[in-house]
Amino acid sequence: MSRFRFPRAILLELCSELRPVLERPSRRNHALCVPVQVLTTLGHLATGTFQRELADRSGMSQSSLSRVMPYVWDAIVGMAPRYIRFPYTQAEQANIKMQFAAIAGFPNVIGAIDCTHVAIKAPSENEFAFVNRKHFHSLNVQIICDAHMSLTNVVARWPGSTHDSYILSNSSVGNRLQTGAVRDGWLLGDSGYPLRTWLLTPLTRPQTEQERRYNEKHCRTRSVVERTIGLLKGRWRCLDRSGGTVLYSPTKVCRVVVACAVLHNIAQKNGIPVPSNAHTEDNEPDPGPPNAVHNAMAIKRRINVINGM
């Protein structure tokens, strides 16, 4: 559990599932078997340990490990459509709404959204775009989760300077929500997002008791995404700054993030205990998007929710 984050039975299932992709013909006498490929890669993702140390532990060369790991990432990323799915159907949404309502009584929530920064080394191209508002190089990764801290959407392709709201509006989920794919449900986002009919944000200056109650329920319900991000980074320390900066190109880091997201959902599905080092992400919201305009329908929808509190 400490090295690979999974018990033996789950590791064997994962190796079995990845075997058809990773078992390649080789003329070498000592080709790496699938369990060694998988476990060594998981060891790196779980701890952020340097490749040379992991290679020595596994009895292989550092160059062999460096060559193998991208194949394992990609094999895990290939599992993403089965393990990371946004709830578009009414049946899926009904179940998720009940789970979120059980937290604080906030109605019709189909997901909580936030972004988190994954520190990377300074890229050789377009370096300035990757410097975030906290002045380190990163990818800005969009996370949407359900009430049980499983991931329903992950977008990992934008430089650290990209605003959270821009990532959402240019994602597949954002595009479908904007075109009315969900009629009677919404995401909960922080004040860094613009208010939309499908994305409810807190009030900046609540005046009445109902408005304060709305903000309190919104905060309690939306905090699940902060805990989810903390759990994701706690399980897979390569994504957390305490595990060091990810020493790959931005393109490779994107694949690492999605691979970790798939593994996170496998852990959640199987009830794997939360690591002791998991924490709640302390993430200040981005300043509101420049020139954001809250449309009248969105304002009306939020008022109706407030009045129902």
Side-chain angles (χ1 to χ4, degrees):
M1 288 296 293
S2 63
R3 286 190 178 184
F4 309 120
R5 299 297 188 259
F6 292 113
R8 179 181 177 86
I10 303 301
L11 290 171
L12 290 172
E13 287 181 18
L14 186 60
C15 289
S16 177
E17 189 163 359
L18 295 175
R19 189 179 303 279
V21 182
L22 297 177
E23 205 165 46
R24 298 176 298 278
S26 174
R27 295 181 180 178
R28 289 177 293 173
N29 291 329
H30 301 289
L32 295 175
C33 65
V34 169
V36 170
Q37 295 180 54
V38 173
L39 294 182
T40 308
T41 301
L42 289 184
H44 174 66
L45 299 178
T47 63
T49 304
F50 288 115
Q51 286 186 14
R52 184 176 299 279
E53 181 180 337
L54 285 168
D56 289 345
R57 187 189 301 166
S58 301
M60 69 176 81
S61 67
Q62 190 272 332
S63 60
S64 294
L65 176 58
S66 181
R67 185 173 59 251
V68 159
M69 284 205 299
Y71 288 110
V72 181
W73 303 335
D74 288 346
I76 297 171
V77 169
M79 299 160 65
R82 297 206 323 273
Y83 285 99
I84 305 175
R85 299 180 54 171
F86 191 80
Y88 288 113
T89 69
Q90 289 188 347
E92 292 171 326
Q93 290 169 20
N95 187 40
I96 288 179
K97 287 175 184 179
M98 285 192 298
Q99 293 167 4
F100 271 113
I103 296 174
F106 204 106
N108 295 331
V109 179
I110 59 171
I113 184 171
D114 204 354
C115 284
T116 186
H117 289 276
V118 175
I120 63 172
K121 70 175 182 178
S124 57
E125 296 181 8
N126 203 19
E127 177 190 348
F128 184 74
F130 290 87
V131 179
N132 62 38
R133 60 193 172 90
K134 296 184 179 178
H135 310 296
F136 63 88
H137 295 88
S138 69
L139 289 178
N140 196 9
V141 179
Q142 175 178 288
I143 298 290
I144 303 176
C145 70
D146 65 18
H148 293 319
M149 296 194 289
S150 291
L151 307 174
T152 59
N153 178 253
V154 177
V155 179
R157 64 187 180 94
W158 293 98
S161 64
T162 312
H163 196 283
D164 295 0
S165 62
Y166 183 86
I167 297 174
L168 175 58
S169 62
N170 286 275
S171 68
S172 59
V173 167
N175 288 331
R176 290 192 65 176
L177 292 175
Q178 290 177 68
T179 55
V182 176
R183 298 290 182 183
D184 186 28
W186 39 72
L187 303 175
L188 296 187
D190 62 28
S191 56
Y193 291 95
L195 178 66
R196 296 288 182 260
T197 55
W198 46 270
L199 172 62
L200 297 186
T201 58
L203 292 153
T204 307
R205 298 181 185 85
Q207 302 294 321
T208 67
E209 183 58 34
Q210 278 184 314
E211 289 177 346
R212 285 188 285 272
R213 190 179 301 120
Y214 166 88
N215 268 17
E216 188 270 335
K217 288 177 179 283
H218 184 287
C219 179
R220 283 176 56 195
T221 307
R222 199 196 68 83
S223 67
V224 69
V225 72
E226 296 167 351
R227 298 197 304 276
T228 300
I229 291 170
L231 178 55
L232 172 68
K233 289 185 171 183
R235 274 199 175 110
W236 310 108
R237 301 300 289 176
C238 68
L239 303 182
D240 192 80
R241 290 190 78 188
S242 65
T245 299
V246 187
L247 301 177
Y248 301 115
S249 68
T251 301
K252 284 187 175 181
V253 177
C254 292
R255 291 148 62 193
V256 168
V257 171
V258 177
C260 289
V262 171
L263 294 169
H264 169 91
N265 274 8
I266 292 174
Q268 291 299 99
K269 179 181 178 182
N270 287 279
I272 305 300
V274 176
S276 59
N277 59 356
H279 59 278
T280 296
E281 177 92 340
D282 183 14
N283 193 20
E284 312 178 0
D286 268 2
N291 305 317
V293 177
H294 300 326
N295 64 62
M297 287 294 294
I299 294 172
K300 182 178 179 181
R301 172 160 283 187
R302 184 165 67 180
I303 290 172
N304 288 339
V305 175
I306 291 170
N307 290 338
M309 290 296 178

